[in-house]
Protein backbone atom coordinates (compact mmCIF):
# COMPACT_ATOMS: atom_id res chain seq x y z
CA UNK A 1 0.00 0.00 0.00
CA UNK A 2 1.28 3.48 -0.82
CA UNK A 3 0.46 6.68 1.03
CA UNK A 4 2.95 9.43 0.12
CA UNK A 5 2.77 8.69 -3.60
CA UNK A 6 -1.01 8.42 -4.04
CA UNK A 7 -2.83 11.22 -5.88
CA UNK A 8 -4.98 11.80 -2.84
CA UNK A 9 -2.00 12.41 -0.54
CA UNK A 10 -1.72 15.99 -1.77
CA UNK A 11 0.84 17.20 0.78
CA UNK A 12 -0.97 16.01 3.91
CA UNK A 13 0.76 17.28 7.06
CA UNK A 14 0.29 13.94 8.81
CA UNK A 15 -1.46 10.61 8.46
CA UNK A 16 -1.52 8.47 11.60
CA UNK A 17 -2.51 4.84 11.94
CA UNK A 18 -3.81 3.77 15.35
CA UNK A 19 -4.36 0.27 16.63
CA UNK A 20 -5.71 -0.77 20.01
CA UNK A 21 -5.29 -4.46 20.61
CA UNK A 22 -7.84 -4.77 23.40
CA UNK A 23 -10.78 -3.17 21.60
CA UNK A 24 -9.73 -4.02 18.05
CA UNK A 25 -9.73 -0.33 17.08
CA UNK A 26 -8.16 0.31 13.72
CA UNK A 27 -8.30 4.01 12.92
CA UNK A 28 -6.58 6.38 10.52
CA UNK A 29 -6.38 10.08 11.41
CA UNK A 30 -5.44 12.45 8.60
CA UNK A 31 -4.47 16.09 9.00
CA UNK A 32 -4.28 17.75 5.60
CA UNK A 33 -3.63 21.42 6.31
CA UNK A 34 -3.63 23.57 9.44
CA UNK A 35 -2.91 26.96 7.81
CA UNK A 36 -6.31 28.31 8.82
CA UNK A 37 -6.49 26.60 12.24
CA UNK A 38 -6.88 23.17 13.85
CA UNK A 39 -8.01 20.45 11.44
CA UNK A 40 -11.66 19.71 12.08
CA UNK A 41 -13.43 16.85 10.36
CA UNK A 42 -15.79 13.97 10.98
CA UNK A 43 -15.07 10.40 11.96
CA UNK A 44 -16.39 7.86 9.49
CA UNK A 45 -16.93 4.26 10.57
CA UNK A 46 -17.20 1.97 7.59
CA UNK A 47 -16.66 -1.65 6.69
CA UNK A 48 -14.04 -0.87 4.04
CA UNK A 49 -13.34 -3.60 1.51
CA UNK A 50 -9.60 -3.03 1.99
CA UNK A 51 -7.16 -0.91 3.98
CA UNK A 52 -6.20 0.87 0.74
CA UNK A 53 -9.82 1.95 0.35
CA UNK A 54 -9.85 3.33 3.90
CA UNK A 55 -6.65 5.31 3.29
CA UNK A 56 -8.00 6.69 0.03
CA UNK A 57 -11.24 7.71 1.70
CA UNK A 58 -9.62 9.46 4.66
CA UNK A 59 -7.16 11.36 2.45
CA UNK A 60 -9.86 12.54 0.03
CA UNK A 61 -12.22 13.58 2.78
CA UNK A 62 -9.54 15.31 4.82
CA UNK A 63 -8.33 17.38 1.86
CA UNK A 64 -11.96 18.26 1.14
CA UNK A 65 -12.33 19.65 4.66
CA UNK A 66 -9.40 22.06 4.11
CA UNK A 67 -11.15 23.49 1.05
CA UNK A 68 -14.59 23.48 2.67
CA UNK A 69 -13.53 25.41 5.76
CA UNK A 70 -11.32 27.87 3.85
CA UNK A 71 -14.15 28.69 1.44
CA UNK A 72 -16.65 29.08 4.26
CA UNK A 73 -14.28 31.65 5.81
CA UNK A 74 -13.65 29.59 8.95
CA UNK A 75 -10.54 29.58 11.12
CA UNK A 76 -10.28 25.81 10.76
CA UNK A 77 -8.00 23.50 8.85
CA UNK A 78 -8.83 20.20 7.17
CA UNK A 79 -8.70 16.73 8.66
CA UNK A 80 -10.73 13.57 8.87
CA UNK A 81 -10.61 10.17 10.51
CA UNK A 82 -11.89 6.72 9.66
CA UNK A 83 -12.52 3.73 11.88
CA UNK A 84 -12.32 0.46 9.97
CA UNK A 85 -15.28 -1.71 11.03
CA UNK A 86 -18.96 -2.39 10.66
CA UNK A 87 -20.92 0.40 12.39
CA UNK A 88 -23.90 -1.93 12.89
CA UNK A 89 -22.04 -4.76 14.65
CA UNK A 90 -18.61 -3.58 15.80
CA UNK A 91 -19.33 -0.52 17.92
CA UNK A 92 -18.62 -0.51 21.65
CA UNK A 93 -17.96 2.11 24.30
CA UNK A 94 -14.45 0.75 24.75
CA UNK A 95 -13.78 1.18 21.02
CA UNK A 96 -14.81 4.85 21.06
CA UNK A 97 -12.85 5.47 24.26
CA UNK A 98 -9.78 4.04 22.50
CA UNK A 99 -10.57 6.28 19.55
CA UNK A 100 -10.76 9.26 21.94
CA UNK A 101 -7.27 8.41 23.23
CA UNK A 102 -5.99 8.32 19.64
CA UNK A 103 -7.46 11.78 18.96
CA UNK A 104 -5.92 13.07 22.18
CA UNK A 105 -2.44 12.03 21.01
CA UNK A 106 -2.64 14.77 18.35
CA UNK A 107 -2.91 17.44 21.07
CA UNK A 108 -5.63 19.42 19.32
CA UNK A 109 -4.11 19.46 15.80
CA UNK A 110 -7.17 17.36 14.89
CA UNK A 111 -10.71 17.80 16.23
CA UNK A 112 -13.16 14.96 15.59
CA UNK A 113 -16.92 15.16 14.95
CA UNK A 114 -19.56 12.70 13.78
CA UNK A 115 -19.88 11.49 10.19
CA UNK A 116 -21.36 8.56 8.27
CA UNK A 117 -21.45 5.54 10.62
CA UNK A 118 -20.88 7.50 13.84
CA UNK A 119 -23.30 9.41 16.03
CA UNK A 120 -23.26 12.23 18.55
CA UNK A 121 -23.53 9.53 21.25
CA UNK A 122 -20.39 7.73 19.96
CA UNK A 123 -18.41 10.96 19.97
CA UNK A 124 -19.64 11.74 23.48
CA UNK A 125 -18.03 8.46 24.58
CA UNK A 126 -14.77 9.45 22.85
CA UNK A 127 -15.00 12.82 24.66
CA UNK A 128 -14.33 11.01 27.97
CA UNK A 129 -10.73 10.62 26.78
CA UNK A 130 -10.11 13.90 24.97
CA UNK A 131 -11.45 17.42 24.82
CA UNK A 132 -10.77 17.60 21.09
CA UNK A 133 -14.26 16.59 20.00
CA UNK A 134 -16.86 18.88 18.40
CA UNK A 135 -20.53 18.60 17.46
CA UNK A 136 -21.64 16.98 20.69
CA UNK A 137 -24.72 17.88 22.71
CA UNK A 138 -23.15 18.76 26.05
CA UNK A 139 -21.53 22.17 25.73
CA UNK A 140 -21.63 21.91 21.95
CA UNK A 141 -23.86 22.61 18.97
CA UNK A 142 -25.28 19.09 18.78
CA UNK A 143 -26.19 17.34 15.53
CA UNK A 144 -24.94 19.47 12.61
CA UNK A 145 -27.42 17.99 10.11
CA UNK A 146 -30.17 20.65 10.49
CA UNK A 147 -27.57 23.33 9.70
CA UNK A 148 -26.39 21.34 6.69
CA UNK A 149 -29.99 21.02 5.43
CA UNK A 150 -30.48 24.77 5.85
CA UNK A 151 -27.26 25.50 3.95
CA UNK A 152 -28.22 23.16 1.12
CA UNK A 153 -31.64 24.78 0.89
CA UNK A 154 -29.97 28.21 0.59
CA UNK A 155 -27.69 26.74 -2.06
CA UNK A 156 -30.67 25.40 -3.99
CA UNK A 157 -32.26 28.87 -4.06
CA UNK A 158 -28.93 30.35 -5.27
CA UNK A 159 -28.75 27.80 -8.07
CA UNK A 160 -32.39 28.51 -8.99
CA UNK A 161 -31.66 32.24 -9.10
CA UNK A 162 -28.64 31.77 -11.35
CA UNK A 163 -30.26 29.27 -13.69
CA UNK A 164 -33.93 30.29 -13.71
CA UNK A 165 -33.65 33.94 -12.65
CA UNK A 166 -35.54 33.66 -9.34
CA UNK A 167 -35.11 32.24 -5.85
CA UNK A 168 -38.80 31.30 -5.85
CA UNK A 169 -39.04 27.50 -5.81
CA UNK A 170 -42.84 27.39 -6.05
CA UNK A 171 -43.84 24.75 -8.55
CA UNK A 172 -40.28 23.66 -9.31
CA UNK A 173 -39.70 19.91 -9.31
CA UNK A 174 -36.83 18.77 -7.09
CA UNK A 175 -35.55 15.19 -6.99
CA UNK A 176 -34.00 14.39 -3.60
CA UNK A 177 -31.88 11.23 -3.56
CA UNK A 178 -31.41 10.02 0.04
CA UNK A 179 -33.77 10.93 2.87
CA UNK A 180 -31.38 10.73 5.79
CA UNK A 181 -30.65 13.41 8.37
CA UNK A 182 -29.81 16.03 5.76
CA UNK A 183 -32.00 14.92 2.85
CA UNK A 184 -35.20 14.80 4.88
CA UNK A 185 -34.52 18.21 6.44
CA UNK A 186 -33.91 19.61 2.98
CA UNK A 187 -37.24 18.16 1.81
CA UNK A 188 -39.01 19.93 4.67
CA UNK A 189 -37.55 23.31 3.63
CA UNK A 190 -38.33 22.65 -0.04
CA UNK A 191 -41.91 21.66 0.77
CA UNK A 192 -42.39 24.83 2.79
CA UNK A 193 -41.07 26.85 -0.16
CA UNK A 194 -43.67 25.27 -2.46
CA UNK A 195 -41.44 22.90 -4.43
CA UNK A 196 -42.78 19.61 -5.78
CA UNK A 197 -40.81 16.71 -4.32
CA UNK A 198 -39.66 13.53 -6.09
CA UNK A 199 -37.84 11.30 -3.60
CA UNK A 200 -35.97 8.02 -3.25
CA UNK A 201 -34.22 6.13 -0.49
CA UNK A 202 -33.24 2.52 -0.02
CA UNK A 203 -35.07 2.59 3.35
CA UNK A 204 -38.78 2.47 2.73
CA UNK A 205 -39.72 4.04 6.07
CA UNK A 206 -38.16 7.40 5.18
CA UNK A 207 -39.82 7.34 1.77
CA UNK A 208 -43.24 6.64 3.28
CA UNK A 209 -42.75 9.49 5.74
CA UNK A 210 -41.88 11.93 2.94
CA UNK A 211 -44.92 10.82 0.94
CA UNK A 212 -47.22 11.14 3.95
CA UNK A 213 -45.89 14.32 5.53
CA UNK A 214 -44.69 16.26 2.50
CA UNK A 215 -46.82 14.96 -0.36
CA UNK A 216 -43.70 13.66 -2.13
CA UNK A 217 -43.77 11.26 -5.07
CA UNK A 218 -41.63 8.17 -4.51
CA UNK A 219 -39.48 6.80 -7.33
CA UNK A 220 -36.90 4.04 -7.77
CA UNK A 221 -33.55 4.85 -6.05
CA UNK A 222 -31.73 3.37 -9.05
CA UNK A 223 -33.19 5.90 -11.50
CA UNK A 224 -34.02 9.03 -9.52
CA UNK A 225 -31.09 10.91 -11.12
CA UNK A 226 -32.79 10.48 -14.50
CA UNK A 227 -36.12 12.07 -13.51
CA UNK A 228 -37.47 15.00 -15.56
CA UNK A 229 -37.00 17.61 -12.85
CA UNK A 230 -35.69 21.17 -12.49
CA UNK A 231 -33.23 20.35 -9.72
CA UNK A 232 -31.50 17.11 -8.79
CA UNK A 233 -30.28 17.00 -5.16
CA UNK A 234 -27.93 14.07 -4.40
CA UNK A 235 -28.12 13.58 -0.62
CA UNK A 236 -26.99 9.96 -0.24
CA UNK A 237 -23.41 8.76 -0.74
CA UNK A 238 -20.63 9.99 -3.07
CA UNK A 239 -20.15 9.36 -6.79
CA UNK A 240 -23.72 10.25 -7.87
CA UNK A 241 -22.36 11.98 -10.96
CA UNK A 242 -20.43 9.42 -12.94
CA UNK A 243 -19.90 8.35 -16.54
CA UNK A 244 -23.15 6.41 -16.61
CA UNK A 245 -25.47 8.74 -14.66
CA UNK A 246 -24.30 11.88 -16.49
CA UNK A 247 -25.76 10.49 -19.71
CA UNK A 248 -29.13 10.13 -18.02
CA UNK A 249 -29.39 13.31 -15.90
CA UNK A 250 -32.05 15.63 -17.34
CA UNK A 251 -32.12 18.27 -14.58
CA UNK A 252 -30.48 21.58 -15.57
CA UNK A 253 -29.34 22.06 -11.95
CA UNK A 254 -27.53 19.75 -9.51
CA UNK A 255 -27.51 20.99 -5.93
CA UNK A 256 -27.39 18.52 -3.05
CA UNK A 257 -25.69 17.59 0.22
CA UNK A 258 -23.65 14.48 -0.58
CA UNK A 259 -19.86 14.67 -0.30
CA UNK A 260 -17.70 13.81 -3.32
CA UNK A 261 -20.58 13.92 -5.82
CA UNK A 262 -18.28 13.98 -8.86
CA UNK A 263 -16.85 10.49 -9.34
CA UNK A 264 -13.93 11.94 -11.31
CA UNK A 265 -12.72 15.54 -11.71
CA UNK A 266 -13.62 15.37 -15.44
CA UNK A 267 -17.30 15.22 -14.48
CA UNK A 268 -17.28 18.92 -13.53
CA UNK A 269 -16.08 19.89 -17.00
CA UNK A 270 -18.60 17.55 -18.59
CA UNK A 271 -21.49 19.08 -16.61
CA UNK A 272 -20.47 22.53 -17.79
CA UNK A 273 -20.26 21.33 -21.40
CA UNK A 274 -23.80 20.00 -21.09
CA UNK A 275 -25.08 23.27 -19.62
CA UNK A 276 -25.88 21.72 -16.23
CA UNK A 277 -25.28 24.07 -13.30
CA UNK A 278 -23.48 22.24 -10.50
CA UNK A 279 -23.31 23.59 -6.94
CA UNK A 280 -19.91 22.30 -5.71
CA UNK A 281 -20.56 19.79 -2.92
CA UNK A 282 -18.21 21.10 -0.29
CA UNK A 283 -19.54 24.64 -0.69
CA UNK A 284 -23.25 23.83 -0.51
CA UNK A 285 -22.89 21.30 2.34
CA UNK A 286 -20.74 23.46 4.66
CA UNK A 287 -23.65 24.29 7.02
CA UNK A 288 -22.69 21.67 9.60
CA UNK A 289 -19.09 22.77 9.91
CA UNK A 290 -20.13 26.42 10.06
CA UNK A 291 -22.44 25.57 12.98
CA UNK A 292 -19.69 23.63 14.76
CA UNK A 293 -17.20 26.47 14.25
CA UNK A 294 -19.46 28.61 16.44
CA UNK A 295 -19.12 26.25 19.41
CA UNK A 296 -17.67 27.74 22.56
CA UNK A 297 -18.74 29.70 25.61
CA UNK A 298 -20.52 32.37 23.51
CA UNK A 299 -22.32 29.88 21.23
CA UNK A 300 -25.31 31.50 19.52
CA UNK A 301 -27.36 29.17 17.34
CA UNK A 302 -29.18 31.99 15.57
CA UNK A 303 -25.93 33.72 14.57
CA UNK A 304 -24.55 30.39 13.36
CA UNK A 305 -27.60 29.72 11.16
CA UNK A 306 -27.36 33.27 9.79
CA UNK A 307 -23.79 32.55 8.68
CA UNK A 308 -24.94 29.23 7.17
CA UNK A 309 -27.33 31.28 5.02
CA UNK A 310 -24.30 33.06 3.50
CA UNK A 311 -23.72 29.88 1.45
CA UNK A 312 -26.31 31.42 -0.89
CA UNK A 313 -24.10 34.39 -1.78
CA UNK A 314 -20.89 32.35 -1.85
CA UNK A 315 -22.47 30.13 -4.49
CA UNK A 316 -23.80 33.07 -6.51
CA UNK A 317 -20.21 34.41 -6.64
CA UNK A 318 -18.87 31.04 -7.74
CA UNK A 319 -21.51 30.69 -10.47
CA UNK A 320 -20.79 34.20 -11.78
CA UNK A 321 -17.02 33.64 -11.82
CA UNK A 322 -17.45 30.26 -13.53
CA UNK A 323 -19.39 32.00 -16.31
CA UNK A 324 -16.92 34.88 -16.56
CA UNK A 325 -13.93 32.51 -16.81
CA UNK A 326 -15.84 29.78 -18.68
CA UNK A 327 -14.68 27.18 -16.17
CA UNK A 328 -16.51 24.43 -14.24
CA UNK A 329 -17.95 25.59 -10.92
CA UNK A 330 -15.98 22.99 -8.92
CA UNK A 331 -12.72 24.25 -10.44
CA UNK A 332 -13.61 27.83 -9.50
CA UNK A 333 -14.42 26.75 -5.92
CA UNK A 334 -11.03 25.01 -5.62
CA UNK A 335 -9.33 28.08 -7.04
CA UNK A 336 -10.97 30.44 -4.53
CA UNK A 337 -10.16 28.08 -1.62
CA UNK A 338 -6.51 27.90 -2.75
CA UNK A 339 -6.35 31.69 -3.03
CA UNK A 340 -7.61 32.00 0.56
CA UNK A 341 -5.07 29.42 1.80
CA UNK A 342 -2.22 31.01 -0.13
CA UNK A 343 -2.90 34.51 1.17
CA UNK A 344 -3.07 33.17 4.74
CA UNK A 345 0.20 31.28 4.27
CA UNK A 346 1.80 34.53 3.14
CA UNK A 347 0.38 36.30 6.19
CA UNK A 348 1.80 33.55 8.44
CA UNK A 349 5.22 33.87 6.82
CA UNK A 350 5.04 37.66 7.22
CA UNK A 351 4.23 37.28 10.91
CA UNK A 352 7.11 34.83 11.37
CA UNK A 353 9.66 37.06 9.70
CA UNK A 354 8.47 40.03 11.74
CA UNK A 355 8.89 38.12 15.00
CA UNK A 356 12.27 36.61 13.96
P1 LIG B 1 -27.60 9.66 6.48
O1 LIG B 1 -26.82 8.41 6.63
O2 LIG B 1 -28.47 10.16 7.58
O3 LIG B 1 -28.50 9.61 5.16
C1 LIG B 1 -28.13 9.03 3.96
C2 LIG B 1 -29.40 8.45 3.36
O4 LIG B 1 -29.12 8.01 2.04
C3 LIG B 1 -29.92 7.23 4.13
O5 LIG B 1 -31.29 7.41 4.42
C4 LIG B 1 -29.68 6.07 3.16
O6 LIG B 1 -30.63 5.05 3.26
C5 LIG B 1 -29.79 6.77 1.83
N1 LIG B 1 -29.15 6.06 0.73
C6 LIG B 1 -28.00 5.35 0.71
N2 LIG B 1 -27.78 4.85 -0.52
C7 LIG B 1 -28.80 5.27 -1.30
C8 LIG B 1 -29.13 5.11 -2.66
N3 LIG B 1 -28.37 4.39 -3.48
N4 LIG B 1 -30.26 5.69 -3.13
C9 LIG B 1 -31.07 6.41 -2.33
N5 LIG B 1 -30.80 6.60 -1.00
C10 LIG B 1 -29.68 6.05 -0.51
O7 LIG B 1 -26.50 10.78 6.09
P2 LIG B 1 -26.65 12.34 6.14
O8 LIG B 1 -26.04 12.84 7.40
O9 LIG B 1 -28.04 12.73 5.78
O10 LIG B 1 -25.66 12.78 4.97
C11 LIG B 1 -26.04 12.65 3.61
C12 LIG B 1 -24.88 13.07 2.73
O11 LIG B 1 -24.53 14.42 3.04
C13 LIG B 1 -23.60 12.25 2.92
O12 LIG B 1 -22.94 12.15 1.69
C14 LIG B 1 -22.78 13.09 3.88
O13 LIG B 1 -21.39 12.85 3.74
C15 LIG B 1 -23.13 14.48 3.40
N6 LIG B 1 -22.98 15.50 4.43
C16 LIG B 1 -23.64 15.43 5.61
C17 LIG B 1 -23.47 16.42 6.57
C18 LIG B 1 -24.21 16.40 7.88
O14 LIG B 1 -24.25 17.42 8.57
N7 LIG B 1 -24.85 15.31 8.24
C19 LIG B 1 -22.59 17.48 6.33
C20 LIG B 1 -21.93 17.55 5.10
C21 LIG B 1 -22.13 16.54 4.17
Amino acid sequence: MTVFSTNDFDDHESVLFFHDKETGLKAILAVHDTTMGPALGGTRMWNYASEEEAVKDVLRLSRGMTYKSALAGLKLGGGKSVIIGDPHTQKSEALFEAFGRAVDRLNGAYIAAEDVGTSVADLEVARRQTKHIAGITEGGAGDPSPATSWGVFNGVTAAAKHKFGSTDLKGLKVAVQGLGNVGFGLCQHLHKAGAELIVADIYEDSVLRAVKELGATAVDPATIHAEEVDIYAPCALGGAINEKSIEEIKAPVIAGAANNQLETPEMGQELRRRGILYAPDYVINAGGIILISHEGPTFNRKAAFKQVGDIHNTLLDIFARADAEDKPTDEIADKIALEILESNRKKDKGALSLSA
Side-chain angles (χ1 to χ4, degrees):
M1 188 200 321
T2 53
V3 177
F4 289 122
S5 53
T6 61
N7 279 343
D8 300 304
F9 181 67
D10 190 41
D11 294 330
H12 263 74
E13 289 177 13
S14 58
V15 183
L16 296 116
F17 293 74
F18 286 94
H19 177 231
D20 181 71
K21 203 171 161 190
E22 250 165 53
T23 59
L25 173 78
K26 278 188 188 154
I28 313 171
L29 275 54
V31 174
H32 177 243
D33 190 298
T34 54
T35 304
M36 305 297 292
L40 196 151
T43 304
R44 183 164 289 194
M45 182 164 183
W46 199 251
N47 212 358
Y48 290 101
S50 66
E51 288 172 17
E52 284 86 344
E53 203 188 284
V55 169
K56 194 177 155 74
D57 208 29
V58 79
L59 292 178
R60 260 186 95 177
L61 292 163
S62 153
R63 176 182 180 274
M65 290 308 296
T66 301
Y67 283 64
K68 181 187 289 205
S69 288
L71 229 159
L74 309 178
K75 295 279 169 242
L76 290 171
K80 199 89 182 182
S81 54
V82 297
I83 297 176
I84 300 174
D86 186 336
H88 296 291
T89 59
Q90 286 176 280
K91 278 188 183 177
S92 68
E93 291 211 352
L95 183 98
F96 279 95
E97 284 192 354
F99 175 72
R101 288 193 292 277
V103 171
D104 205 56
R105 298 269 287 274
L106 271 80
N107 286 320
Y110 171 65
I111 303 168
E114 64 269 47
D115 194 65
V116 176
T118 62
S119 64
V120 172
D122 298 330
L123 271 296
E124 271 167 357
V125 174
R127 176 79 168 78
R128 293 176 195 157
Q129 303 291 332
T130 180
K131 59 178 191 231
H132 306 299
I133 302 281
I136 52 175
T137 312
E138 208 189 302
D143 180 7
S145 306
T148 307
S149 301
W150 179 237
V152 175
F153 174 71
N154 278 276
V156 168
T157 57
K161 179 154 196 241
H162 189 81
K163 192 74 179 175
F164 311 125
S166 166
T167 55
D168 189 358
L169 302 180
K170 211 169 282 156
L172 289 192
K173 281 190 181 172
V174 187
V176 181
Q177 177 181 41
L179 299 171
N181 292 320
V182 181
F184 201 89
L186 172 65
C187 284
Q188 289 171 319
H189 292 303
L190 291 170
H191 176 66
K192 218 168 148 195
E196 204 180 303
L197 295 169
I198 316 290
V199 300
D201 197 292
I202 47 176
Y203 285 114
E204 208 174 337
D205 286 359
S206 325
V207 177
L208 290 177
R209 193 178 151 211
V211 170
K212 200 168 156 230
E213 290 179 19
L214 309 171
T217 304
V219 296
D220 187 344
T223 53
I224 184 164
H225 61 276
E227 287 290 322
E228 298 264 6
V229 290
D230 301 293
I231 298 164
Y232 165 41
C235 296
L237 299 182
I241 301 145
N242 51 54
E243 273 186 15
K244 182 176 177 290
S245 68
I246 205 165
E247 298 293 338
E248 297 161 352
I249 292 171
K250 299 182 191 78
V253 169
I254 300 177
N259 273 316
N260 299 328
Q261 289 175 36
L262 306 179
E263 193 166 72
T264 61
E266 293 75 43
M267 290 296 122
Q269 181 66 47
E270 192 48 32
L271 287 173
R272 179 153 192 90
R273 199 185 66 74
R274 289 168 188 249
I276 298 175
L277 180 68
Y278 169 63
D281 46 16
Y282 68 78
V283 184
I284 192 169
N285 72 17
I289 187 99
I290 295 173
L291 177 78
I292 288 175
S293 76
H294 280 249
E295 280 186 351
T298 58
F299 177 64
N300 179 332
R301 201 172 176 81
K302 214 168 152 195
F305 269 71
K306 190 165 175 293
Q307 194 186 349
V308 171
D310 292 346
I311 288 175
H312 181 93
N313 286 335
T314 305
L315 279 169
L316 285 179
D317 289 347
I318 291 172
F319 297 151
R321 192 162 156 185
D323 285 352
E325 296 183 26
D326 192 18
K327 291 258 163 57
T329 51
D330 59 303
E331 217 179 290
I332 295 294
D334 284 1
K335 223 168 142 180
I336 298 174
L338 281 171
E339 285 166 8
I340 294 170
L341 287 166
E342 210 38 57
S343 76
N344 278 277
R345 280 186 195 123
K346 279 195 191 126
K347 261 193 241 155
D348 281 355
K349 274 195 193 133
L352 275 178
S353 56
L354 275 177
S355 61

